[in-house]
CSV table of all heavy atoms in Angstrom, one decimal:
chain,number,residue,atom,x,y,z
E,1,LEU,N,-0.9,-5.6,-4.5
E,1,LEU,CA,-1.0,-6.0,-3.1
E,1,LEU,C,-2.4,-6.4,-2.8
E,1,LEU,O,-3.4,-5.7,-3.3
E,1,LEU,CB,-0.6,-4.8,-2.3
E,1,LEU,CG,0.8,-4.2,-2.5
E,1,LEU,CD1,1.0,-3.0,-1.7
E,1,LEU,CD2,1.8,-5.2,-1.9
E,2,VAL,N,-2.6,-7.4,-2.0
E,2,VAL,CA,-3.9,-7.7,-1.5
E,2,VAL,C,-3.8,-7.9,0.1
E,2,VAL,O,-2.9,-8.5,0.6
E,2,VAL,CB,-4.3,-9.1,-2.0
E,2,VAL,CG1,-5.6,-9.6,-1.5
E,2,VAL,CG2,-4.5,-9.1,-3.6
E,3,PHE,N,-4.7,-7.3,0.7
E,3,PHE,CA,-4.8,-7.2,2.2
E,3,PHE,C,-6.1,-7.9,2.6
E,3,PHE,O,-7.3,-7.6,2.2
E,3,PHE,CB,-4.8,-5.8,2.7
E,3,PHE,CG,-3.7,-4.9,2.2
E,3,PHE,CD1,-3.8,-4.2,1.0
E,3,PHE,CD2,-2.4,-5.0,2.8
E,3,PHE,CE1,-2.6,-3.5,0.6
E,3,PHE,CE2,-1.3,-4.3,2.4
E,3,PHE,CZ,-1.5,-3.5,1.3
E,4,GLU,N,-5.9,-8.7,3.7
E,4,GLU,CA,-7.2,-9.4,4.3
E,4,GLU,C,-7.0,-9.5,5.7
E,4,GLU,O,-5.8,-9.3,6.3
E,4,GLU,CB,-7.4,-10.8,3.7
E,4,GLU,CG,-7.6,-10.8,2.2
E,4,GLU,CD,-7.8,-12.2,1.6
E,4,GLU,OE1,-6.8,-12.8,1.4
E,4,GLU,OE2,-9.0,-12.6,1.4
E,5,GLY,N,-7.9,-9.9,6.6
E,5,GLY,CA,-7.8,-10.2,8.0
E,5,GLY,C,-8.0,-8.9,8.8
E,5,GLY,O,-7.5,-9.1,9.9
E,6,VAL,N,-8.6,-7.9,8.3
E,6,VAL,CA,-8.7,-6.7,9.2
E,6,VAL,C,-9.9,-6.9,10.1
E,6,VAL,O,-11.1,-7.2,9.6
E,6,VAL,CB,-8.9,-5.4,8.4
E,6,VAL,CG1,-9.2,-4.2,9.2
E,6,VAL,CG2,-7.8,-5.2,7.4
E,7,THR,N,-9.6,-7.0,11.4
E,7,THR,CA,-10.7,-7.3,12.4
E,7,THR,C,-11.0,-6.0,13.3
E,7,THR,O,-12.1,-6.1,13.9
E,7,THR,CB,-10.4,-8.4,13.2
E,7,THR,OG1,-9.0,-8.3,13.9
E,7,THR,CG2,-10.2,-9.7,12.3
E,8,ASN,N,-10.1,-5.1,13.4
E,8,ASN,CA,-10.4,-4.0,14.4
E,8,ASN,C,-11.5,-3.2,13.7
E,8,ASN,O,-11.7,-2.9,12.6
E,8,ASN,CB,-9.0,-3.1,14.4
E,8,ASN,CG,-9.0,-2.1,15.3
E,8,ASN,OD1,-9.8,-1.1,15.2
E,8,ASN,ND2,-8.2,-2.1,16.3
E,9,ALA,N,-12.3,-2.7,14.7
E,9,ALA,CA,-13.6,-1.9,14.3
E,9,ALA,C,-13.1,-0.7,13.6
E,9,ALA,O,-13.9,-0.1,12.8
E,9,ALA,CB,-14.3,-1.6,15.6
E,10,ASN,N,-12.0,-0.1,13.9
E,10,ASN,CA,-11.5,1.1,13.2
E,10,ASN,C,-10.7,0.9,11.9
E,10,ASN,O,-10.2,1.9,11.3
E,10,ASN,CB,-10.6,2.0,14.1
E,10,ASN,CG,-11.3,2.5,15.3
E,10,ASN,OD1,-12.6,2.8,15.3
E,10,ASN,ND2,-10.7,2.4,16.5
E,11,GLY,N,-10.8,-0.4,11.4
E,11,GLY,CA,-10.0,-0.8,10.4
E,11,GLY,C,-8.4,-0.9,10.5
E,11,GLY,O,-8.0,-1.0,11.6
E,12,ALA,N,-7.8,-0.8,9.5
E,12,ALA,CA,-6.4,-0.8,9.5
E,12,ALA,C,-5.6,0.2,8.5
E,12,ALA,O,-6.3,0.6,7.8
E,12,ALA,CB,-5.8,-2.2,9.3
E,13,SER,N,-4.4,0.6,8.6
E,13,SER,CA,-3.7,1.4,7.7
E,13,SER,C,-2.4,0.8,7.2
E,13,SER,O,-2.0,-0.1,7.8
E,13,SER,CB,-3.4,2.6,8.5
E,13,SER,OG,-2.5,2.4,9.5
E,14,VAL,N,-2.1,1.3,6.0
E,14,VAL,CA,-0.9,0.8,5.3
E,14,VAL,C,-0.2,2.1,4.9
E,14,VAL,O,-0.7,3.1,4.5
E,14,VAL,CB,-1.3,0.1,4.0
E,14,VAL,CG1,0.0,-0.3,3.3
E,14,VAL,CG2,-2.1,-1.2,4.3
E,15,THR,N,1.2,2.0,5.2
E,15,THR,CA,2.1,3.0,4.8
E,15,THR,C,3.2,2.4,3.9
E,15,THR,O,3.8,1.3,4.2
E,15,THR,CB,2.8,3.7,6.1
E,15,THR,OG1,1.8,4.3,6.8
E,15,THR,CG2,3.7,4.8,5.6
E,16,LEU,N,3.5,3.0,2.7
E,16,LEU,CA,4.4,2.5,1.8
E,16,LEU,C,5.7,3.3,1.9
E,16,LEU,O,5.6,4.6,1.8
E,16,LEU,CB,3.9,2.5,0.4
E,16,LEU,CG,2.6,1.6,0.2
E,16,LEU,CD1,1.9,1.8,-1.2
E,16,LEU,CD2,2.7,0.1,0.6
E,17,SER,N,6.9,2.7,1.7
E,17,SER,CA,8.1,3.5,1.5
E,17,SER,C,9.1,2.7,0.7
E,17,SER,O,8.8,1.5,0.5
E,17,SER,CB,8.8,3.9,2.8
E,17,SER,OG,9.2,2.7,3.5
E,18,THR,N,10.1,3.3,0.1
E,18,THR,CA,11.1,2.6,-0.7
E,18,THR,C,12.5,3.1,-0.3
E,18,THR,O,12.7,4.0,0.5
E,18,THR,CB,10.9,2.9,-2.2
E,18,THR,OG1,10.9,4.3,-2.4
E,18,THR,CG2,9.6,2.4,-2.7
E,19,GLU,N,13.5,2.5,-0.8
E,19,GLU,CA,14.9,2.9,-0.6
E,19,GLU,C,15.2,3.8,-1.8
E,19,GLU,O,14.7,3.8,-2.9
E,19,GLU,CB,15.7,1.6,-0.7
E,19,GLU,CG,15.4,0.6,0.3
E,19,GLU,CD,16.1,-0.7,0.1
E,19,GLU,OE1,16.5,-1.1,-1.0
E,19,GLU,OE2,16.3,-1.4,1.2
E,20,PRO,N,16.3,4.6,-1.7
E,20,PRO,CA,16.8,5.4,-2.8
E,20,PRO,C,17.2,4.4,-4.0
E,20,PRO,O,17.7,3.4,-3.8
E,20,PRO,CB,18.1,6.0,-2.3
E,20,PRO,CG,18.0,6.0,-0.7
E,20,PRO,CD,17.1,4.8,-0.4
E,21,GLY,N,16.8,4.9,-5.2
E,21,GLY,CA,16.8,4.0,-6.3
E,21,GLY,C,15.5,3.5,-6.9
E,21,GLY,O,15.4,3.0,-8.0
E,22,LEU,N,14.5,3.6,-6.0
E,22,LEU,CA,13.1,3.2,-6.3
E,22,LEU,C,12.2,4.3,-5.7
E,22,LEU,O,12.3,4.6,-4.5
E,22,LEU,CB,12.8,1.8,-5.7
E,22,LEU,CG,11.7,1.0,-6.2
E,22,LEU,CD1,11.9,0.6,-7.6
E,22,LEU,CD2,11.5,-0.3,-5.4
E,23,SER,N,11.2,4.7,-6.6
E,23,SER,CA,10.2,5.7,-6.0
E,23,SER,C,8.8,5.4,-6.3
E,23,SER,O,8.5,4.7,-7.3
E,23,SER,CB,10.6,7.1,-6.5
E,23,SER,OG,10.5,7.2,-7.9
E,24,ILE,N,8.0,5.8,-5.4
E,24,ILE,CA,6.6,5.5,-5.5
E,24,ILE,C,5.9,6.6,-6.3
E,24,ILE,O,6.1,7.7,-6.0
E,24,ILE,CB,5.9,5.4,-4.0
E,24,ILE,CG1,6.6,4.2,-3.3
E,24,ILE,CG2,4.4,5.2,-4.2
E,24,ILE,CD1,6.1,4.1,-1.8
E,25,GLN,N,5.1,6.2,-7.2
E,25,GLN,CA,4.3,7.1,-8.1
E,25,GLN,C,2.9,7.2,-7.6
E,25,GLN,O,2.1,6.3,-8.0
E,25,GLN,CB,4.5,6.8,-9.6
E,25,GLN,CG,5.9,6.7,-10.0
E,25,GLN,CD,6.7,7.9,-10.0
E,25,GLN,OE1,6.4,8.8,-10.7
E,25,GLN,NE2,7.8,7.8,-9.2
E,26,GLY,N,2.6,8.0,-6.7
E,26,GLY,CA,1.2,7.9,-6.2
E,26,GLY,C,1.1,8.0,-4.6
E,26,GLY,O,2.1,8.4,-4.0
E,27,ASP,N,-0.1,7.7,-4.1
E,27,ASP,CA,-0.3,7.6,-2.7
E,27,ASP,C,0.6,6.7,-1.9
E,27,ASP,O,0.9,5.5,-2.5
E,27,ASP,CB,-1.7,7.2,-2.4
E,27,ASP,CG,-2.8,8.3,-2.9
E,27,ASP,OD1,-2.2,9.4,-3.0
E,27,ASP,OD2,-3.9,7.9,-3.2
E,28,ARG,N,1.0,7.1,-0.7
E,28,ARG,CA,1.9,6.3,0.1
E,28,ARG,C,1.2,5.7,1.2
E,28,ARG,O,1.7,5.1,2.1
E,28,ARG,CB,3.1,7.1,0.6
E,28,ARG,CG,4.0,7.6,-0.5
E,28,ARG,CD,5.1,8.5,-0.1
E,28,ARG,NE,6.0,8.8,-1.0
E,28,ARG,CZ,7.1,8.1,-1.3
E,28,ARG,NH1,7.5,7.2,-0.5
E,28,ARG,NH2,8.0,8.4,-2.2
E,29,THR,N,-0.2,6.0,1.4
E,29,THR,CA,-1.0,5.5,2.5
E,29,THR,C,-2.3,4.9,2.0
E,29,THR,O,-2.8,5.4,0.9
E,29,THR,CB,-1.2,6.5,3.6
E,29,THR,OG1,-2.0,7.7,2.9
E,29,THR,CG2,0.0,7.0,4.2
E,30,LEU,N,-2.7,3.9,2.8
E,30,LEU,CA,-4.1,3.3,2.4
E,30,LEU,C,-4.8,3.1,3.7
E,30,LEU,O,-4.2,2.9,4.7
E,30,LEU,CB,-3.9,2.0,1.7
E,30,LEU,CG,-3.1,1.8,0.4
E,30,LEU,CD1,-2.8,0.4,0.1
E,30,LEU,CD2,-4.0,2.3,-0.8
E,31,ILE,N,-6.1,3.2,3.6
E,31,ILE,CA,-7.0,2.7,4.7
E,31,ILE,C,-7.6,1.5,4.4
E,31,ILE,O,-8.3,1.4,3.3
E,31,ILE,CB,-7.9,3.9,5.1
E,31,ILE,CG1,-7.3,5.2,5.4
E,31,ILE,CG2,-8.8,3.6,6.2
E,31,ILE,CD1,-6.3,5.2,6.6
E,32,LEU,N,-7.6,0.5,5.2
E,32,LEU,CA,-8.2,-0.9,4.9
E,32,LEU,C,-9.5,-1.0,5.8
E,32,LEU,O,-9.4,-0.8,7.0
E,32,LEU,CB,-7.2,-1.9,5.3
E,32,LEU,CG,-5.9,-1.9,4.7
E,32,LEU,CD1,-5.0,-3.0,5.2
E,32,LEU,CD2,-6.0,-1.9,3.2
E,33,PRO,N,-10.6,-1.3,5.2
E,33,PRO,CA,-11.9,-1.4,5.9
E,33,PRO,C,-11.9,-2.8,6.7
E,33,PRO,O,-11.3,-3.6,6.3
E,33,PRO,CB,-12.9,-1.4,4.8
E,33,PRO,CG,-12.2,-1.8,3.6
E,33,PRO,CD,-10.8,-1.4,3.7
E,34,THR,N,-12.7,-2.8,7.8
E,34,THR,CA,-12.8,-4.0,8.6
E,34,THR,C,-13.6,-5.1,7.8
E,34,THR,O,-14.6,-4.8,7.1
E,34,THR,CB,-13.7,-3.7,9.8
E,34,THR,OG1,-13.0,-2.6,10.6
E,34,THR,CG2,-13.8,-4.9,10.8
E,35,GLY,N,-13.1,-6.3,7.8
E,35,GLY,CA,-13.7,-7.5,7.3
E,35,GLY,C,-13.7,-7.5,5.7
E,35,GLY,O,-14.4,-8.4,5.1
E,36,LYS,N,-13.0,-6.7,5.0
E,36,LYS,CA,-13.1,-6.7,3.6
E,36,LYS,C,-11.7,-7.1,3.0
E,36,LYS,O,-10.7,-6.7,3.6
E,36,LYS,CB,-13.6,-5.4,3.0
E,36,LYS,CG,-15.1,-5.2,3.5
E,36,LYS,CD,-15.7,-4.3,2.6
E,36,LYS,CE,-17.2,-4.1,3.2
E,36,LYS,NZ,-18.1,-3.7,2.4
E,37,ARG,N,-11.6,-7.7,1.8
E,37,ARG,CA,-10.4,-7.9,1.1
E,37,ARG,C,-10.2,-6.6,0.3
E,37,ARG,O,-11.1,-6.1,-0.4
E,37,ARG,CB,-10.6,-9.1,0.1
E,37,ARG,CG,-9.5,-9.3,-0.9
E,37,ARG,CD,-9.9,-10.4,-1.8
E,37,ARG,NE,-9.0,-10.4,-2.9
E,37,ARG,CZ,-8.2,-11.4,-3.2
E,37,ARG,NH1,-8.1,-12.4,-2.4
E,37,ARG,NH2,-7.4,-11.3,-4.2
E,38,THR,N,-9.0,-6.0,0.4
E,38,THR,CA,-8.6,-4.8,-0.3
E,38,THR,C,-7.5,-5.1,-1.2
E,38,THR,O,-6.5,-5.6,-0.8
E,38,THR,CB,-8.1,-3.7,0.7
E,38,THR,OG1,-9.2,-3.5,1.7
E,38,THR,CG2,-7.9,-2.5,0.0
E,39,GLU,N,-7.7,-4.7,-2.5
E,39,GLU,CA,-6.6,-4.8,-3.5
E,39,GLU,C,-6.0,-3.4,-3.8
E,39,GLU,O,-6.8,-2.5,-3.9
E,39,GLU,CB,-7.2,-5.5,-4.7
E,39,GLU,CG,-7.6,-6.9,-4.5
E,39,GLU,CD,-8.1,-7.5,-5.8
E,39,GLU,OE1,-7.9,-7.1,-6.8
E,39,GLU,OE2,-8.7,-8.7,-5.6
E,40,ALA,N,-4.8,-3.4,-4.0
E,40,ALA,CA,-4.1,-2.1,-4.3
E,40,ALA,C,-3.0,-2.4,-5.4
E,40,ALA,O,-2.4,-3.5,-5.5
E,40,ALA,CB,-3.5,-1.5,-3.1
E,41,LYS,N,-2.7,-1.5,-6.3
E,41,LYS,CA,-1.7,-1.4,-7.3
E,41,LYS,C,-0.8,-0.3,-6.9
E,41,LYS,O,-1.1,0.8,-7.0
E,41,LYS,CB,-2.2,-1.4,-8.7
E,41,LYS,CG,-1.2,-1.5,-9.7
E,41,LYS,CD,-1.6,-1.1,-11.1
E,41,LYS,CE,-2.2,-2.5,-11.6
E,41,LYS,NZ,-2.6,-2.3,-13.1
E,42,VAL,N,0.6,-0.5,-6.7
E,42,VAL,CA,1.5,0.4,-6.4
E,42,VAL,C,2.4,0.6,-7.7
E,42,VAL,O,2.9,-0.4,-8.1
E,42,VAL,CB,2.3,0.0,-5.2
E,42,VAL,CG1,3.4,1.1,-4.9
E,42,VAL,CG2,1.5,-0.2,-4.0
E,43,ILE,N,2.5,1.8,-8.1
E,43,ILE,CA,3.4,2.0,-9.3
E,43,ILE,C,4.7,2.6,-8.8
E,43,ILE,O,4.8,3.6,-8.1
E,43,ILE,CB,2.8,3.1,-10.3
E,43,ILE,CG1,1.3,2.7,-10.6
E,43,ILE,CG2,3.6,3.4,-11.5
E,43,ILE,CD1,1.2,1.4,-11.5
E,44,LEU,N,5.8,1.9,-9.2
E,44,LEU,CA,7.2,2.2,-8.8
E,44,LEU,C,7.9,2.6,-10.0
E,44,LEU,O,7.8,2.2,-11.1
E,44,LEU,CB,7.8,1.0,-8.2
E,44,LEU,CG,7.1,0.4,-7.0
E,44,LEU,CD1,7.9,-0.9,-6.6
E,44,LEU,CD2,7.2,1.4,-5.8
E,45,LEU,N,8.8,3.6,-9.9
E,45,LEU,CA,9.8,4.1,-10.9
E,45,LEU,C,11.2,3.6,-10.4
E,45,LEU,O,11.7,4.0,-9.4
E,45,LEU,CB,9.8,5.5,-11.1
E,45,LEU,CG,10.7,6.2,-12.1
E,45,LEU,CD1,10.4,5.6,-13.5
E,45,LEU,CD2,10.7,7.7,-12.0
E,46,SER,N,11.8,2.8,-11.3
E,46,SER,CA,13.2,2.4,-11.0
E,46,SER,C,14.2,3.4,-11.6
E,46,SER,O,14.1,3.8,-12.7
E,46,SER,CB,13.5,1.1,-11.7
E,46,SER,OG,12.8,0.1,-11.1
E,47,GLU,N,15.1,3.9,-10.6
E,47,GLU,CA,16.0,5.0,-11.1
E,47,GLU,C,17.4,4.5,-11.4
E,47,GLU,O,18.2,5.2,-12.0
E,47,GLU,CB,16.0,6.1,-9.9
E,47,GLU,CG,14.7,6.7,-9.7
E,47,GLU,CD,14.5,7.4,-8.3
E,47,GLU,OE1,15.4,7.3,-7.5
E,47,GLU,OE2,13.4,8.0,-8.2
E,48,ARG,N,17.8,3.4,-10.9
E,48,ARG,CA,19.1,2.8,-11.3
E,48,ARG,C,18.9,1.3,-11.1
E,48,ARG,O,18.0,0.7,-10.6
E,48,ARG,CB,20.1,3.4,-10.5
E,48,ARG,CG,20.0,3.1,-9.0
E,48,ARG,CD,21.1,3.8,-8.3
E,48,ARG,NE,21.2,3.5,-6.9
E,48,ARG,CZ,20.8,4.3,-6.0
E,48,ARG,NH1,20.2,5.5,-6.3
E,48,ARG,NH2,20.8,3.9,-4.6
């Protein structure tokens, strides 16, 4: 994932979720700094 365009002085936030059958391995929230490009890697486990 790549996030850009954060202009709010307090930054921005990201929340991740999935449907049953797919689960997130790791953090479900991110904080994005103002004016910076942020890259993230989300690891998912397929259950079916």
Side-chain angles (χ1 to χ4, degrees):
L1 298 170
V2 175
F3 303 95
E4 296 179 285
V6 178
T7 56
N8 188 295
N10 295 324
S13 65
V14 176
T15 303
L16 305 170
S17 70
T18 57
E19 302 171 333
L22 194 64
S23 62
I24 298 170
Q25 307 295 297
D27 292 335
R28 295 176 176 265
T29 58
L30 301 163
I31 301 300
L32 307 177
T34 304
K36 301 209 179 197
R37 173 185 166 111
T38 303
E39 296 181 13
K41 182 187 279 190
V42 180
I43 306 298
L44 302 172
L45 175 66
S46 295
E47 298 164 351
R48 62 179 186 261

